Amino acid sequence: HVFVGIFPNPFSTSASLTINGAVNNLNATLHIYTILGQEVRSIYMGNKINTILTRGNLTTGMYFYKLVKNNNETIATGKFIVN
C-alpha cells in the first residue's frame, strides 16, 4: 500500500507532501481536483517521495488528490484544505 501525508493540513501557503509505503519505481503523478471534480493541478512526482505543495492559484476550500502511476493505476487518494 501507498500512503500520502500532507502537513500541515489545512494550510495557507504551502505544505509538505510525503509518500510512504511500497514506493519502488512509482513513476507517479499527483492530480489535484476541486470538490466539483475539476482538475486544477497535475504534479509529476516521478520516483520522488517528498515535495512541497504550494498554494499557487488554489482558492480557499477543500481539494481532493489522486496519486496515479504511469499505467493509470490509482495508488492513493485523499483530501486537503486550503485556508
Side-chain angles (χ1 to χ4, degrees):
H1 291 96
V2 173
F3 303 96
V4 174
I6 297 176
F7 182 81
N9 187 8
F11 69 92
S12 57
T13 56
S14 66
S16 176
L17 183 142
T18 304
I19 302 170
N20 297 298
V23 294
N24 294 336
N25 299 314
L26 276 181
N27 196 20
T29 301
L30 183 77
H31 299 276
I32 299 174
Y33 302 91
T34 66
I35 59 172
L36 299 177
Q38 176 187 6
E39 185 172 338
V40 291
R41 191 176 296 169
S42 176
I43 303 168
Y44 177 69
M45 296 290 296
N47 291 316
K48 292 189 305 182
I49 59 169
N50 295 299
T51 193
I52 299 296
L53 181 60
T54 58
R55 179 181 187 142
N57 64 343
L58 300 179
T59 58
T60 299
M62 186 183 325
Y63 293 85
F64 295 95
Y65 64 82
K66 181 167 61 171
L67 188 65
V68 180
K69 288 179 79 167
N70 65 340
N71 64 357
N72 288 329
E73 175 189 359
T74 298
I75 53 177
T77 59
K79 62 185 174 183
F80 64 89
I81 296 173
V82 173
N83 62 8

